Amino acid sequence: MEERLTKLEMKLAYAEETIVTLDSVVTEQAKEIGLLKSRLEALEKRVSDVVDEMGDDVAPSDQRPPHY
């Protein structure tokens, strides 16, 4: 009985360590995702600004490639 209890305690200790490790990984990933989202929003804004500057009459799909 004592041996089973010791094994369970060891498994619990390893599980707790794994949970702490996973929590730190998820936390770091959440920070990185937040940073990437903000950079993507800034990039979308820049692209939108460039498209607005080009005007509605000159859509990229309507332009001929330079080699024509």
Side-chain angles (χ1 to χ4, degrees):
M1 179 74 169
E2 184 68 29
E3 184 179 331
R4 286 180 60 195
L5 185 58
T6 301
K7 285 183 180 180
L8 285 173
E9 288 174 339
M10 287 175 48
K11 285 184 179 184
L12 179 61
Y14 285 125
E16 288 175 340
E17 181 181 349
T18 301
I19 289 170
V20 169
T21 302
L22 290 174
D23 181 58
S24 67
V25 169
V26 169
T27 301
E28 285 300 314
Q29 287 179 339
K31 289 178 186 176
E32 188 171 357
I33 288 170
L35 174 66
L36 291 171
K37 280 183 175 181
S38 65
R39 292 179 71 186
L40 178 61
E41 289 172 0
L43 188 57
E44 287 174 335
K45 172 84 170 91
R46 288 176 60 190
V47 169
S48 177
D49 291 346
V50 168
V51 169
D52 289 345
E53 287 177 11
M54 289 176 58
D56 292 335
D57 55 304
V58 184
S61 61
D62 295 337
Q63 293 179 350
R64 284 189 165 194
H67 61 276
Y68 277 102

